[in-house]
Amino acid sequence: MYDYLIVGAGLFGSVFAYEATKKGKKCLVIDKRNHIGGNVYNEKKEGINVHKYGAHIFHTNNEQIWNYVNGFVEFNRYTHSPVANYKGEIYNLPFNMNTFNKLWGVVTPKEAKEKIEEQKGRVGINNPTNLEEQAISLVGTDIYEKLIKGYTEKQWGRSAKDLPAFIIKRLPVRFTYDNNYFNDKYQGIPIGGYNVIIEKMLEKSDVRLEVDYFDKKEEFEGIAHKTVYTGMIDQYYDYIYGVLEYRSLKFETNVVEDTDNFQGNTIVNYTDRDTPYTRIIEHKHFEYGTQEKTIISKEYPIEWKKCNEPYYPINNQQNNETYRKYKELADGEQNVIFGGRLANYNYYDMHQVIGAALVAIEKEFGDK
Ligand code: FAD
Ligand code: UDP
């Protein structure tokens, strides 16, 4: 008999397992995939840590969480600075003075702000209610047309007018010549990859892979006093209130034999509508790799169906309302803790998932 059955060996499940085993609890962690780590998993190929489920850069403003992850592994000094390729023109991201200079020839922040105000004024948006309006009011129409509209509509498979404004607020807009994608105080990539962290977190738990909870629900029901569930919340309740929508991805990964440096950067975003992928990841650059070969992944957004991976929750009004109904059920459960990106139907970053798992632990154990 276990104290906790933890469904999902991603970050939420792993932090919970680590903290619970530290308190002497017995945990069984299961995952339907053939590896631990969930979406932060790295697959080693040609000596390179491949970010199998998409590029993962750790960043946070929270000192406690930064210290927490550094307790498991040392981080390198990687600073994320993706570039955008719009039909062969290269622009710096996030939107900053380098972007504005390349696009308009403006040199000072004052000139850049005037240009944005002029474009905003022409469209006349006061209270942005969707991603398109939000983007135009932040950076004007030129950037919206070249660097946002095509990328966003590929990424989400719907018009930017039908997407929530908060998605674009993830990106900083800066009036300095600073290409750092994040404003956070701490940032880096774990030396040796994310698996180092997860392996340490799960050291004291029993782990069973390639097991789908729903295939063996009855067997698992009696195996532990409590369940920590990090899968899709609608699936847990057999979709009684309907299906929560996601956006999925397909990664086409190739070893490039004839060069050790394919694109000179970890990420290049393809922001035009016609290129079918949104970005190319060149994995070695996360860790300043000096291997002779290089590995790239093209990231294609695809429609989500129940048979493929749920990557991004689509937090529009309808889905959020459906989620609220599931959450009401979840709140009434005595012996099940719901956590992580899928169970909370939330566009969480890693530091937020770790924070949420630590809150769940605090709630569970208090001062015990
Ligand atoms: P997951 O990692 O999804 O883990 C859930 C686990 O549960 C999975 O392994 C799944 O197989 C398992 N599972 C589900 N259902 C079942 C079942 N029925 N039975 C058994 N097992 C089950 N965050 C950042 O901070 N920085 C980034 O740069 C960043 N980049 C990202 C890029 C992409 C493309 C994506 C999709 C996310 C990115 N994130 C990033 C977010 C980050 O991946 C998540 O915050 C984090 O991995 C979520 O952890 P989790 O444990 O909630 O979920
Ligand atoms: N985005 C964009 N152009 C870019 C990069 C991002 O329009 O070159 C928009 C897009 O809508 C995306 C959102 O900004 O979904 C958030 O970008 P982020 O890089 O944070 O996305 P993630 O890494 O989570 O996929």
Side-chain angles (χ1 to χ4, degrees):
M1 192 73 182
Y2 289 93
D3 294 300
Y4 295 96
L5 165 71
I6 299 175
V7 181
L11 257 184
F12 190 96
S14 301
V15 170
F16 195 97
Y18 177 74
E19 294 297 329
T21 51
K22 224 168 66 178
K23 292 176 192 303
K25 302 294 175 194
K26 233 180 131 203
C27 297
L28 171 64
V29 181
I30 63 165
D31 205 294
K32 60 184 177 188
R33 293 179 180 168
N34 63 2
H35 58 75
I36 56 174
N39 286 348
V40 309
Y41 172 70
N42 294 147
E43 188 169 58
K44 198 113 182 173
K45 279 189 184 162
E46 306 283 346
I48 297 167
N49 279 316
V50 173
H51 293 210
K52 188 174 164 105
Y53 301 96
H56 278 74
I57 301 97
F58 199 94
H59 57 96
T60 183
N61 247 332
N62 185 319
E63 191 179 352
Q64 189 203 341
I65 288 182
W66 181 242
N67 290 339
Y68 186 77
V69 290
N70 276 269
F72 295 94
V73 70
E74 194 186 335
F75 280 71
N76 69 15
R77 59 142 190 94
Y78 179 79
T79 300
H80 196 43
S81 305
V83 296
N85 181 326
Y86 177 76
K87 301 186 178 179
E89 297 167 20
I90 296 291
Y91 294 95
N92 285 113
L93 295 172
F95 313 120
N96 72 79
M97 285 307 297
N98 289 307
T99 331
F100 307 141
N101 172 265
K102 176 95 185 250
L103 195 62
W104 302 315
V106 295
V107 171
T108 64
K110 184 168 173 280
E111 288 166 352
K113 283 181 186 166
E114 280 168 3
K115 194 86 189 166
I116 291 171
E117 282 307 314
E118 176 200 317
Q119 297 195 351
K120 244 174 89 172
R122 260 189 266 135
V123 182
I125 298 162
N126 292 321
N127 282 319
T129 57
N130 59 49
L131 197 154
E132 175 172 297
E133 292 176 2
Q134 182 67 66
I136 293 173
S137 49
L138 285 171
V139 286
T141 45
D142 285 349
I143 291 186
Y144 175 67
E145 293 295 336
K146 285 193 168 183
L147 302 182
I148 298 176
K149 190 176 192 302
Y151 185 99
T152 294
E153 297 192 347
K154 282 193 288 192
Q155 166 73 3
W156 297 97
R158 57 199 74 206
S159 160
K161 291 191 183 79
D162 298 329
L163 286 163
F166 83 87
I167 293 176
I168 199 70
K169 286 207 221 147
R170 285 171 60 85
L171 308 194
V173 178
R174 262 191 222 121
F175 294 91
T176 52
Y177 288 90
D178 177 0
N179 297 327
N180 181 351
Y181 203 58
F182 303 113
N183 283 331
D184 289 340
K185 206 159 145 191
Y186 309 102
Q187 176 174 179
I189 300 290
I191 295 174
Y194 288 92
N195 299 4
V196 177
I197 305 180
I198 304 288
E199 279 161 15
K200 284 192 184 161
M201 286 178 173
L202 295 181
E203 226 164 44
K204 293 199 165 64
S205 293
D206 289 342
V207 176
R208 280 171 65 185
L209 298 174
E210 295 181 89
V211 194
D212 191 319
Y213 175 65
F214 295 104
D215 291 343
K216 300 198 169 171
K217 203 162 176 232
E218 274 143 45
E219 178 190 328
F220 286 125
E221 251 151 18
I223 211 168
H225 298 296
K226 278 196 169 182
T227 300
V228 175
Y229 178 80
T230 74
M232 295 187 297
I233 191 165
D234 53 351
Q235 186 179 15
Y236 187 89
Y237 289 110
D238 208 12
Y239 307 102
I240 50 166
Y241 297 130
V243 173
L244 291 169
E245 294 172 294
Y246 286 89
R247 189 71 174 148
S248 195
L249 300 172
K250 186 184 81 183
F251 293 96
E252 200 180 271
T253 297
N254 287 302
V255 179
V256 186
E257 307 273 350
D258 60 355
T259 177
D260 63 347
N261 187 4
F262 177 78
Q263 61 183 14
N265 207 21
T266 48
I267 306 257
V268 178
N269 288 356
Y270 287 78
T271 57
D272 65 294
R273 189 68 191 80
D274 297 333
T275 305
Y277 41 88
T278 44
R279 45 192 171 189
I280 298 183
I281 308 165
E282 187 170 7
H283 303 271
K284 71 190 307 182
H285 297 311
F286 284 120
E287 297 182 63
Y288 311 103
T290 53
Q291 297 86 350
E292 279 175 18
K293 295 176 189 171
T294 190
I295 298 184
I296 59 164
S297 299
K298 289 181 178 161
E299 183 173 328
Y300 297 83
I302 55 170
E303 201 187 319
W304 174 76
K305 298 190 197 90
K306 282 184 190 165
C307 58
N308 50 29
E309 288 291 340
Y311 280 100
Y312 293 95
I314 299 182
N315 289 107
N316 59 22
Q317 200 185 343
Q318 191 194 328
N319 287 322
N320 287 346
E321 273 166 25
T322 307
Y323 168 69
R324 263 194 293 279
K325 293 189 199 159
Y326 286 118
K327 186 171 182 307
E328 258 178 49
L329 290 182
D331 288 345
E333 301 278 357
Q334 297 297 312
N335 293 318
V336 189
I337 295 165
F338 292 81
R341 249 199 181 198
L342 302 172
N344 291 353
Y345 196 61
N346 197 317
Y347 192 166
Y348 282 140
D349 278 325
M350 292 179 277
H351 61 285
Q352 295 167 314
V353 167
I354 293 171
L358 292 174
V359 167
I361 282 285
E362 177 71 26
K363 211 168 144 198
E364 187 67 3
F365 295 98
D367 294 325
K368 271 183 260 171

